[in-house]
Structure formats: C-alpha cells, structure tokens
Amino acid sequence: MKETRPAEQRAEETMKKSCGGQAILLAVLLLFAVSCSKSPGVYRKTKPLMDTLVTITVVASSDKEADAAIEKAFSVIERFGDKIDFFKETSELAAINRNAGVSPVKVSPETLGVIERAIYISGISDGAFDATIGPEIKMWDFYKKIRPSDDAIRHNLSLVNYRNIIVNRDKSTVFLRKKGMLMDLGGIAKGYAADLALANLRQSGIGAGIVAAAGDIRAFGLKPDGTPWNVGIKNPRQKSDADDLMATARLSNKAVSTSGDYERYFIEDGRRYHHILDPKTGYPAGQCRSVTVISDDGIFADGFTTAVFVLGPEKGMKLVRDSGVDAVIVDKDGTIHTTLGIKKMVTFEDGH
Amino acid sequence: MKTVIRNTTIADKLLFLILITASVAGIFFSREAMPQGPDIVITVDGKPLYTLPRDKDRLVSIPGPFGDTVVEIKDGKVRVKEAHCPNRLCEKQGWISRGAIVCLPNHIVITVGGKAGDLPRGIDAVTG
C-alpha cells in the first residue's frame, strides 16, 4: 500500500484546482495502483502428500512468488516422504526393514536425521515413544476392527526396542539388530517434513507462513496485519460441527502437533482400541484422549505428542516441563492439563 | 465535516462511488469463488473429476495405476469401498461425513463439504 500514498497526496493537490477531468483520471490511476501494488497477501495451497493432505500458507507479494515457493516446498516433502514411506518397497525405510538382522543400510542425511531424533525422543521418554513399534502396529486393523491375540502381541513385543536401532553416523547407515524388527516413522515424520519444508520456504525468501502436514504444523513469522497465526486445536470428543475445535493457539515461530485416540480407532465391548500403542505392552495407551505439544521444532512437537500420550498426564507433564516444551493434555476423563506457557498462547472455547 | 462535503467536487463523488462499488463487488466475487453446500468432490491428479450430491446413494469407479478404486456414497457419507493400492489406507479410513480421504498411490482425494484444506473462520490451520 505504500506506493499509493503519494498518489493520494497528488490527488488532493489536484482537487484544489477543481479540475474534474484530472481527478477522475487520478481516481482510475489510484484504483489501478491499489490492484497492482505489491502489498503482501496470504496464499494457500493444498496437496496430497505422505498419505495425507499437506497445506502450505505463505505471505508473499504475488501469486507467482507464492506459487513458486510453495511448489518447491511441496517437492521437498514429497522427496522426503518417498524415502521414509513404510509401504513403498523402494523407500530407504523399506530397505532398512528388509535388512533387519542382516546388514546395515546406507541412507540419506534426511532419513538419518529423522531416525537419530526418533532415538533421542525414545531415550528421554524412557521408550514411551518407540519407532520400532512396527511389528505390533501391523497386526492391528482399526477399520476392519481386527485385534491381534494376546499371545501374538506378547510374542512380537521382543522385537520392539529402540536400543536395537544401530546408527553409524560416519558411514550414514542404519541397522536393525533383530530379524523381524520393523521401524515405522509415522509418529515423527510429518513433523520433520514440516521442518524441512519451512527451511526451504525461507530459502525461497518467504518470511511468514504455515506448513501443515495434516495436524503437524509449523507457523513462522506474522500475518500481514502483524498478528500471530491462529491454529485451531481439535476437540477429541466432538459432538457436532459447532464444537469441532476445543481451543485456538496464537503462534509465531512455533511448531504444534496433536495425537488423539479419535483418529484411527474402533470400539468393542465398550472399550476404545486406537492406534497409539504403548511400546511396553503392545496395547493402546489408555490414559489420554488427546495430547497437543507446542515446541520450537516440528519433529519434537510430533514425537513428544506420542510419548506424552503413552506416559499419561502425570509423567507426561514432567517430561514436557523438563524438556522445555508446552503441552495441552486431555486425560481419559476429559480433564485438561496444561503447562504454564500455554496460558499466553492458547484460548479455550467455552466448556473446555 | 460540512466544509469537507461542500468542497467535494463531482469528481470526488465519482471517486467514492467507484471505490464503494469496487469493495462491494469484492464481497460478491469472493462469495462466488467459494461455493457453499455439502457436495462430495472427487479429485484425481489435482483435477476435480466428480462433484456429487451427498444425498444420492451411488457407487463410482475411478480407474488408476493400481486398477479401479470404488467410491461409495450412502446416507450422506462417503467411503472408499475398494482400493488396490499397496497400503489401502484410504479403505481403512472408512466412512466420513466431513473432511477428506486421500489415496496417494492412485492420486485420488475425496472431500466432503467444500474443497480440500478448507478452514473455519479466522483459523489459519488445525492440529489434531
């Protein structure tokens, strides 16, 4: 809008002369200037990637600039997603899993990066988050309501242990020590994808925006009006369209992720079986309905939600406080637990 | 205030008229650009292929690299009834009455009510 100001001033001067023709001409020029001015706007684009919908929002001065930056960031996510796709035979992750108990597999820096961070989160959460949960999770089918037998769950538990992921940084290799081990990076990869995409947007000269890999979000900079971005937090027990959101977080230069028992689940004999399994038991973790974590990096927000969900409100709160991140925990009874930092960032809807 | 009004010329009034018309037109244009209604939209390779009313039950077959994907609309809900891709995550998602189903291997996105990535008022993204 800056460019329009001198035009307005000129318009005023001309009007003093009461010269109608020139004023109309200027009025038209003014409109033209407004429509062509490079005032920053918000642009948004959605693409199916990593088995979900990824939406990238940017503040840019033109549609063209926004589109170029967003498409580049999408391709970064796509390339990373292909490397760690659990189901794609040609992915680096599939190669690691195929060679479990056989040999180390050379991987790209991104894959090595996400696995190293997965091991770190497993370590500080005492295994509440564990990327080697694959042999357990693959036995469940939450759509067909297939629950594995207790024996099968117990049997596969011996294959779940992040300590058996051997990373060699110098050689850039990853090795799963036991045959039959399966690594699934689903609980952490989308947060990391958001981190990678954001770094790429910055390289393209974008100073503000949001990368949302489904519910794994990184917001940076401010909106054109100078305010932070508004990120809605889903209500884990939504009854109607009206109570879809339980709260809104105002975020700038933060990452936020949520894990909930309402994403993939079935109910049998009044009990809810969902996709967040406790790596120590092989059964769905039962102490929370949803966990939202706000952190500086997407990968930690994403990884911590699972860890805290499994640990439950007491131990989970201790972990987030010790780690310097913020969290909103809705426990199994619907009670909300928050860290102190949440008060400044999150406004809850009535009734929450 | 009175002097301001007295000092306005016809040209000024025309200017205001143009500005007001432009801003009002903006409201209508943006409404036009965002059609309302709870239609089901099936997008293939980024192009909206079908826009179907959700109140009419039907089966739709969509050819793709992994064979036909069968989409079923029933009682206002939609699901992927049959998929032949390696992971079949879309099929596992079951019935939805809002939001989206994504079948990445077949490049299919099914959305209910609005386009993919639609957000509530004043919200820039949603987590959960």
Side-chain angles (χ1 to χ4, degrees), chain A residues 63-102:
Chain A
D63 197 356
K64 217 177 140 195
E65 184 197 1
D67 202 64
I70 291 174
E71 284 301 332
K72 266 168 85 182
F74 276 152
S75 64
V76 166
I77 296 180
E78 188 165 17
R79 278 200 300 273
F80 171 66
D82 281 348
K83 285 174 188 159
I84 51 86
D85 190 331
F86 185 83
F87 297 100
K88 201 171 185 160
E89 274 181 41
T90 53
S91 76
E92 293 182 346
L93 181 63
I96 294 169
N97 286 335
R98 254 198 321 272
N99 288 293
V102 181

Side-chain angles (χ1 to χ4, degrees), chain A residues 5-69:
Chain A
R5 255 178 233 140
E8 273 166 348
Q9 276 163 11
R10 263 180 280 132
E12 273 168 37
E13 283 160 22
T14 317
M15 271 167 214
K16 278 180 205 153
K17 292 177 201 157
S18 293
C19 191
Q22 278 181 17
I24 292 178
L25 186 69
L26 274 166
V28 173
L29 279 175
L30 181 67
L31 269 178
F32 186 70
V34 168
S35 58
C36 291
S37 71
K38 296 256 178 180
S39 66
V42 176
Y43 299 88
R44 178 172 289 140
K45 226 173 162 180
T46 298
K47 193 173 183 180
L49 293 166
M50 294 178 83
D51 291 319
T52 187
L53 288 180
V54 178
T55 299
I56 297 181
T57 306
V58 297
V59 176
S61 51
S62 73
D63 197 356
K64 217 177 140 195
E65 184 197 1
D67 202 64

Side-chain angles (χ1 to χ4, degrees), chain A residues 2 12 27 40 96 119 126 165-166 192 219 248 305 320 345 348:
Chain A
K2 269 177 214 152
E12 273 168 37
I96 294 169
I119 295 169
D126 191 25
I165 311 171
I166 312 300
Y192 196 55
T248 305
T305 56
V320 291
M345 294 185 277
F348 286 88

Side-chain angles (χ1 to χ4, degrees), chain B residues 54-69:
Chain B
R54 64 195 282 181
D55 52 10
K56 192 167 178 266
D57 296 355
R58 70 171 89 203
L59 286 171
V60 184
S61 234
I62 302 152
F66 293 90
D68 283 10
T69 302

Side-chain angles (χ1 to χ4, degrees), chain A residues 167-216:
Chain A
V167 170
N168 186 323
R169 224 184 197 179
D170 298 332
K171 290 183 181 165
S172 193
T173 60
V174 180
F175 176 50
L176 302 178
R177 205 178 260 157
K178 282 188 181 181
K179 199 156 182 64
M181 278 179 79
L182 283 174
M183 187 154 48
D184 182 349
L185 296 167
I188 195 167
K190 292 209 294 293
Y192 196 55
D195 289 341
L196 293 174
L198 186 143
N200 185 269
L201 288 174
R202 284 217 167 108
Q203 273 176 16
S204 299
I206 301 294
I210 299 178
V211 179
D216 298 304

Side-chain angles (χ1 to χ4, degrees), chain B residues 10 12 19 25 48-49 59 86 96 111 114 117:
Chain B
I10 295 171
D12 293 332
L19 288 176
L49 206 62
L59 286 171
I96 64 159
T111 50

Side-chain angles (χ1 to χ4, degrees), chain A residues 15 20 23-24 27 31 44 46 48-53 87 141 143-144 210 214-215 217 223 229-234 238 241 244-245 248 256-258 262, chain B residues 9 11-12 14-15 18-19 22 79-80 86-89 91-95 98 100 102 104-105 108-109 111 116-117 119-120 122-128:
Chain A
M15 271 167 214
I24 292 178
L31 269 178
R44 178 172 289 140
T46 298
L49 293 166
M50 294 178 83
D51 291 319
T52 187
L53 288 180
F87 297 100
D141 189 324
Y143 173 52
K144 290 187 179 137
I210 299 178
I217 292 163
K223 290 199 266 189
W229 300 96
N230 293 319
V231 179
I233 301 173
K234 259 200 192 142
Q238 181 194 350
D241 283 359
D244 181 23
L245 301 179
T248 305
V256 60
S257 282
T258 300
Y262 52 87
Chain B
T9 63
D12 293 332
L14 265 171
L15 171 81
I18 292 169
L19 288 176
R79 70 162 170 172
V80 172
N87 60 33
R88 287 157 74 202
L89 287 174
E91 201 181 290
K92 287 175 189 160
Q93 209 177 326
W95 293 101
R98 61 195 310 253
V102 179
L104 210 53
I108 298 170
V109 179
T111 50
L119 293 164
I123 298 291
D124 302 303
V126 173
T127 179

